[in-house]
Structure formats: structure tokens, C-alpha cells
Amino acid sequence: MFFIFLLLLSCIPVCVGITILVLFKKNKLSKIIFLFLLLASFWHIDVSFLYAVELFNRETIMLFFKLFRFGSIMLTPTIFYVGYTIVHDMLPKEYQKKWGCIVNRTTVVLSYAFALLVYIIGWSPKGIRQLDLIQIDISKFYFPVDGQLAWIFNFNVFLFIVTVIICLLISLDVQNKSERSFLLYFNIFTAIGFAIGYLNMFPSSRLYPSSIAILVFAISILILSSRMHLAIVNNMNKKLYEQKQFLFRVIDLNPNYIYAQDENGRYTLMNKSYAQLMGFSFQDMLGKTDGDLLAELTDEEECIDREKKTFKLPEKHFIKEEAITTASGEVVWVQTVKVPIQLNERSALLAVSTDITERKQYEDDIKFQANHDALTGLPNRRMFNEDLIALLEKAKLESSENGILFFDLDRFKYINDTLGHDVGDLLLIEVSRRIEILLQEKHSEANIYRLGGDEFTILLPNYNAVESEAFAKELLAQFITGFWIAGSEFFITPSIGISTFPNDGYDANTLIKHADTAMYYVKERGKNNYQLFTSEMQQHFYRKMMIEKQLRTALDNEEFELYYQPIMDVKTNNIIGMESLIRWNNEVLGHVTPDEFISIMEETGLIIPIGKWILNTAIAQTASWHKESNTQLKVSINVSVKQLLEPTFVEQVRNAIVNASLDASYIVLEITESIAMYAESMIEKLFELKQLGISLSMDDFGTGYSSLSYLNKYPLDNLKIDKSFVIGMNQDDENKALVKTIVAIAKQLDLKVIAEGVEGAEEYQFLAEIGCDYAQGYLFSKPLPVTAFKMQWLTVN
């Protein structure tokens, strides 16, 4: 226990050093004095370990003694550093020149280097040979026995005396009276303290002088820095009294809440901060328990007896966080370190509490951020999962129904890609606010969450399927009006999927999956709608999953085949080319339509290897037909945006042309309007393709989002009018006008026009009248496999 007391005593110089830093606003001299006090603490710690006889073995004590001996050795160069600081920061220039030859940066470095050498020697047996166990009365401790080179340590002590004298002489030249007084007394008391500490060299001193020495350092420095001109007593009793006064001052200066209680819970010590926190004066609290103080406020006498029964001294050091209600009624969070101690052979409690209210608030903020979306402030996926599980547990007990609604924003990616993420973020915020208002005004029990990106969920407690659908309609209505962002109005729609408990699932994962399935079902059928989950959707997505699975091996199993559909010259009614179209026949799934599997190829990235196969096969087949027949036809090959974005795509096309030995002018690559999302980079890629000698055609024109400005920049040769405008256009004046307009625009841009989906003679006649160049459709031929196309459309040599 005495060892622990000595360690606690070692903290006093550090506390004083911190006080000095506060008092002198961390100027250079205060920092050096703080270093001095810190080294004094290390000095006392190494002596303290010599009393740890009952706690550690001799080797461990020797290790710590040598380790912390660093403090006593480094005091000498630190005092010299004080002198250096006085010379360069506090003396007039003429005195700086006077002392500069002795006290300069080089001599400071050399003093520290020598001290470091002394410290290193101390680790060897020639420095400290061994520790002898000594017992004097009840004191039992180890005493270090010097080795052969112990004289070096003694020489360091001699240098300390010389250094103090030099600093004392330098201090006499300081012009400021208060500073001079401070420095003179500082040097004097430092010398006194070190002289007392030197008595440790004698075993009969029981190593007590080091404790007295650090108290002298701390007390003298605190007194001087506080400008308290106290008389220095010459006997031990008065010094102990000053130590007590010093401790009270340190405690009161400490911004933490410090107090001590005896074994009955009576306050024996507290600082002003703690007294003010409790709303009492020091005199009012001394000798009273918490129950006594509470009784004074509430007139409840039983509080005293209750407090006596509940108060218990801790058996060991511990740290706890607790909330304290101050006298003003404010709740303050503190972290309290409570340490059992012995005072006058009686047990007591020493407690130091630090105000952690700001930290607690910060932790609350962190917790909020962990459970909420940073952009919108809505609860996030983590909180959604926790709330859903809690809601389902409650619903199972109450046998209630609940709705889960999933939705995301249709084509939100295009807004981010075209207008930037800043606009997209602002749109998400506005959407969130609008829905929050809806919930506050009409559905207070419901909660909205942002899962990430443009995905949101809403929990509808006690809503059945009908009520959930009614809510979904209200939600859709919120998107009828546009959202104003940075002075512009934006229109966007949601796709909403709904699952209900317990109809669509009995656990959180199932309900989430089913709501998600319903949402994607809406997206596949045109978006901007809602849908309750049904078992048929499960089958739909099961087929989609099977298609994806079979697609991954279809190329290796040679399940794909290219069909070809002729393209006719409207003026001559002659075939001028053909479009290659992929077909798939699978052992498990049978015949799978392109509408089913092409989108999955895009989603999974399989379009890259399969698209490469289509490119190579179509070009090779065309080259073969050129050799076999008199008809030199062009081949149109559909290319996806993902293929175009591949860094090696141009090289793939070049290799396919070279391998097939086909003139590049007979190749037409059909691209879609979605390339407008990648305008600048895509234009560069298209020009690279044009340099190969191939032609470029804009497929499905009129269904995308390409602007005329980009259309003019693309190095295109043809526009292909989507079949949705051509089929039955004679019965739809709007489509007829649109087709006519597209042809006119193409002519202005010097582009050829191809109309696909031509099924009737009337449509064909109209296309000829408005100047359309080419046509394809069932009027001429459906897509045919290689053999059938060759027999019907090619003239073999």
C-alpha cells in the first residue's frame, strides 16, 4: 500500500506542472518547468519501486528502477535548459552576449547527451551492481549498490550543482523584478530539493528524502508561480503543513470534481468545483454524508439512515460513468475514478470526477449517425432491420397485421449521370422531406427509412393489405408534382413493392425479400406503380434466375445461333443487307426469347463474351457468303453500351475484320441512344470505329433520350426508326407524323433512314413517299437461320 501511496505522491509534480502550464499560458519557460516536474515524478517513481518488495520480485524492481532513473539523471540538463531559456528569452541583448558563450544550443545538447550516457551506463552492472534488501523497523525496501562507474552518476550530480549556480547567476541579470525573484527562488529551492533527495544515497534515510524532494520542487514552484510569498520553514512539521496546504490548492485549481469520504460516507475533502456542483459551500459539506445534505434540502430525516446503510467503500480501484443532477437541476455526466486509500490508519475513498457531458453528447451524435442516413437524416438500413424485427415480435404477440413497403426512384441513375450527384442528392432530400410530411400529417405510426442510393422502405404498423395499397396510392400521388432543385423543376416517379405480415412471410428476411421482389416486378412492367407480392412473382423471378444460370454455360455449350433478317432498298425493292439476331435454345428452358435473356445478359455482364461471339460469327458468316454468292450484302450487328465501354472493343472489331478477310465497308454496327449518357468518351470511341471503315447506325431511334445536339456530333451513317412507331402507323396519325419528322431530320443531317417493323404494304408505300431509304420487317421476311436465309436471298455462284 505504501508503494501505491508513493506512486500517487509521484503525481503531485505533474499536477503542479499542468497548473503551471495553465497559469503561464504554455509559454516556453512553463513548458520546461513542466518537463522538470515530470522528470522529478519519474525520479520518485523509481524510488517508489524500491518499496514494492511485496509486489514484485527483485529482477522486476531492478528493471523499473533503472527505467525510471531517467528522471533523476535528466534533471541536470533540464536545469541547464532553463538557463538557456533565460538567456535567450528574458535577458537584454548585452547580457545575452555575456552568457551566450557558456549557455548556448551546443552546450544544452552536450549536457543532454552526457546525461543520456549516464543513464545508459546505469543499465549495466558497472552502474548499478545490485539491490540489497534492507529492513529498518517496519520499513522494508531495496537499496541500490553502486558499480565501478557510479562516479559518473556522482559527476552528473556535481554538474547539477554547477548548473544551478550558473542559472542562479544568470537570474541576477534578469531586469523584470518579479521574474528575477521567481527565478532566484526557483533555483534556490531546486538546489534545496536536490540536496534533500541526495540523502537517498544513505540507507538509513529509508529513501524518504526523494519524497520530500519532489514535494519541495512542487510546493516551491507552485508557490512562486502563484505569487504567494510564503516563508520557507526550516523544520519538518512546518513543511508537512505546507504540503497539506499545497494539496488543497492543487485540488481547488483542478477543474475536475475531487472529493474524499470516510468509511461512513462523510465528506473529509472536496474541491470548490465539486462543492459548487452540489450547490453547497466547503464548510457546509465537510463532515456530512449525502443523506445529510439531502435531508437539509428535503427535510426527510430517513435519508440520513438510508445513506449510512447504502454507502460502502470500494475494495479496489474502479472507474464508472454516472449522471449527476446539479443544484441548478442540470444533469451532468461525469467519469469518476474511485480509489480506496488509508488515511490515519482508517479506510477512506478518494474520487476524481471528470465532466464528460460533451463526450456523451458526441457519443449520442455518433449513435445517431450510425443509425441514420447522413444525407437525408432518415433512419438507415441498420435501424430498419432492428425496427422490423421488433415490430414483428410485437405483431406475433398481438396477432396484428403489418405492411412493409419498398420503393426506389425510377431512372434516378440518369439524373446522377447527366446532372451530377449534387443535384441527385438534393432530389433525394426533397423526396424524403415530402414523404416525411405525408407521414406526419396522415400516418403518424408509419416510419420511413433510406437503405442507400435511391432505395427507401416504409414500415406500416397495423396496416393490412388493403390499407397498405391505399397508402401506396397516396405515396404515388406525392410524385405527381415536380421537385424544385436549384431553380429547376424535376419530375420523377417511384416503383413500389408491398409485402404484408403474416400473409407474405413470418420473418423479417422473407418479408423484405418479397417486398423487394414486388418492387422489381413493378419496374419490369413500366415503373411508376405499386404491387402487392404474389406467389406468381416468385415463379417469374425463379425463371429469371434459371435463365441467368443457364446463360453462364450457354456459350460454352454452343446453344446460341444467329438468325438474319433482310434489309430492303425502298427505291429498288432489292436486298442490300441483313441484320444479325441472336437466338437461344436451351435443354432445360427450351426456346428463350431475346426479350427475356438479353436484358439479363446486360445486367450480369455476359453481354461482353456473348457480344464478342456475335461480332465474330456475323462477320465471318458475311465473309463466307461474299465468297459463295454474287450478292455483296452488308451485315448489321447490334452492339450494347457495355461492349462499347470495353477498352479493347475497337481492337476486337479490328481482329474480327482481319480474321474474316472482309472489307470493313460491309459492316454496320447498330448502337442505341443510351450512349448519350457517356457523350464525350463515347464520341471518341465511335470515331475510332469509323476509322476502321465500318458504318454506324442509331438503333431504335425515338425511344431513348439522345438530344439532337449529340446526334449531330455522332459520326453516324444511318438512323433506324423503332418498330413501335412503324407498325400500324397508318392507323395512328401521331406515329405517322413522328416517322415523317424523323426522316426529315435525318435528311437534314445527311443520314440514311431504315424503318424496322414494316408489316403492311400501306406502311411500305408511305415510307417510299416520304423518302425513307431502307426497310425491314415481316412484309419481306422474318429472321431466318443461316441455311434458310442463304436459299431465299442469296444467288450462289
Side-chain angles (χ1 to χ4, degrees), residues 87-100:
V87 170
H88 288 271
D89 293 350
M90 304 175 70
L91 292 184
K93 289 185 178 180
E94 59 271 20
Y95 290 105
Q96 289 182 10
K97 294 179 180 179
K98 170 185 173 182
W99 292 104

Side-chain angles (χ1 to χ4, degrees), residues 430-622:
E430 289 303 313
V431 168
S432 302
R433 297 296 170 265
R434 189 174 290 186
I435 298 174
E436 281 186 300
I437 293 172
L438 170 66
L439 299 185
Q440 291 169 4
E441 293 179 350
K442 297 183 178 181
H443 306 273
S444 57
E445 292 185 359
N447 291 301
I448 181 173
Y449 307 80
R450 184 188 178 208
L451 301 188
D454 63 329
E455 293 183 336
F456 297 84
T457 58
I458 297 177
L459 289 183
L460 301 171
N462 303 310
Y463 281 58
N464 57 30
V466 175
E467 291 168 333
S468 297
E469 283 190 288
F471 175 81
K473 292 178 182 178
E474 291 184 56
L475 185 60
L476 285 172
Q478 299 300 310
F479 292 84
I480 294 175
T481 57
F483 296 85
W484 285 92
I485 308 294
S488 299
E489 189 175 18
F490 295 88
F491 289 88
I492 198 162
T493 58
S495 293
I496 305 170
I498 307 169
S499 65
T500 59
F501 171 88
N503 299 333
D504 301 324
Y506 209 66
D507 61 87
N509 289 334
T510 302
L511 289 167
I512 292 170
K513 181 180 70 174
H514 287 170
D516 196 39
T517 298
M519 181 186 73
Y520 278 101
Y521 190 83
V522 172
K523 297 188 82 66
E524 287 192 348
R525 279 157 177 73
K527 307 177 178 62
N528 190 26
N529 208 335
Y530 69 89
Q531 179 67 55
L532 277 168
F533 173 78
T534 63
S535 57
E536 289 77 13
M537 293 178 192
Q538 199 83 330
Q539 298 171 3
H540 169 78
F541 284 100
Y542 175 77
R543 177 169 174 81
K544 186 176 180 180
M545 180 188 70
M546 287 299 296
I547 289 174
E548 179 180 339
K549 180 181 178 182
Q550 296 298 321
L551 267 176
R552 296 189 181 278
T553 57
L555 194 59
D556 292 337
N557 295 338
E558 299 182 351
E559 297 173 5
F560 294 118
E561 182 181 2
L562 286 187
Y563 277 41
Y564 296 88
Q565 186 176 33
I567 300 174
M568 310 300 292
D569 188 318
V570 174
K571 293 180 181 179
T572 65
N573 291 326
N574 293 327
I575 183 173
I576 57 94
M578 62 277 181
E579 180 180 4
S580 60
L581 301 165
I582 189 170
R583 295 293 182 265
W584 181 29
N585 191 31
N586 178 260
E587 287 185 0
V588 177
L589 301 172
H591 177 72
V592 186
T593 64
D595 288 343
E596 283 188 290
F597 70 81
I598 288 180
S599 61
I600 298 176
M601 284 165 48
E602 290 276 359
E603 292 173 10
T604 58
L606 291 170
I607 191 68
I608 302 300
I610 297 174
K612 184 178 181 181
W613 175 84
I614 294 172
L615 182 72
N616 291 331
T617 303
I619 292 177
Q621 183 62 65
T622 303

Side-chain angles (χ1 to χ4, degrees), residues 193-257:
F194 197 83
I196 294 172
Y198 190 75
L199 296 177
N200 269 2
M201 303 298 292
F202 305 101
S204 59
S205 69
R206 307 184 189 185
L207 303 178
Y208 291 164
S210 62
S211 300
I212 300 171
I214 66 165
L215 289 177
V216 171
F217 292 155
I219 292 171
S220 61
I221 292 173
L222 183 64
I223 292 173
L224 292 172
S225 64
S226 303
R227 301 182 183 278
M228 301 294 294
H229 299 286
L230 302 175
I232 304 299
V233 297
N234 296 319
N235 57 71
M236 182 61 71
N237 289 333
K238 195 170 183 178
K239 285 179 184 275
L240 291 175
Y241 173 76
E242 288 178 359
Q243 176 189 353
K244 181 179 178 181
Q245 295 304 310
F246 153 74
L247 288 173
F248 276 109
R249 283 188 170 81
V250 170
I251 291 171
D252 278 337
L253 284 172
N254 199 304
N256 295 325
Y257 309 120

Side-chain angles (χ1 to χ4, degrees), residues 674-743:
S674 57
I675 62 171
M677 293 164 44
Y678 312 92
E680 297 302 327
S681 60
M682 193 58 70
I683 290 173
E684 183 180 346
K685 181 68 69 69
L686 295 180
F687 273 106
E688 289 182 34
L689 290 169
K690 285 290 292 181
Q691 289 176 0
L692 297 178
I694 66 175
S695 300
L696 296 175
S697 177
M698 177 70 77
D699 193 16
D700 299 334
F701 186 76
T703 61
Y705 298 89
S706 178
S707 67
L708 291 177
S709 62
Y710 278 123
L711 189 62
N712 192 34
K713 292 180 181 179
Y714 298 146
L716 299 174
D717 300 283
N718 310 314
L719 284 185
K720 198 169 192 179
I721 304 174
D722 187 70
K723 61 184 178 182
S724 61
F725 302 118
V726 177
I727 296 175
M729 65 181 172
N730 283 337
Q731 285 75 44
D732 189 329
D733 291 338
E734 288 186 4
N735 278 359
K736 185 179 278 190
L738 183 58
V739 171
K740 189 174 182 180
T741 300
I742 293 174
V743 172

Side-chain angles (χ1 to χ4, degrees), residues 612 616 648 650-661 692:
K612 184 178 181 181
N616 291 331
T648 61
V650 176
E651 190 62 28
Q652 290 177 23
V653 176
R654 181 185 289 108
N655 291 339
I657 294 171
V658 172
N659 293 338
S661 300
L692 297 178

Side-chain angles (χ1 to χ4, degrees), residues 90 168 170-189 220 223-225 227-230:
M90 304 175 70
L168 190 64
I170 294 172
S171 300
L172 293 173
D173 290 332
V174 174
Q175 300 300 298
N176 184 285
K177 184 177 179 181
S178 61
E179 291 179 352
R180 182 171 65 248
S181 175
F182 173 86
L183 293 170
L184 288 172
Y185 283 115
F186 167 75
N187 284 285
I188 290 171
F189 288 122
S220 61
I223 292 173
L224 292 172
S225 64
R227 301 182 183 278
M228 301 294 294
H229 299 286
L230 302 175

Side-chain angles (χ1 to χ4, degrees), residues 273-286:
S273 297
Y274 185 71
Q276 292 171 357
L277 180 73
M278 303 304 294
F280 292 93
S281 66
F282 176 88
Q283 292 77 12
D284 291 338
M285 294 185 67
L286 201 62

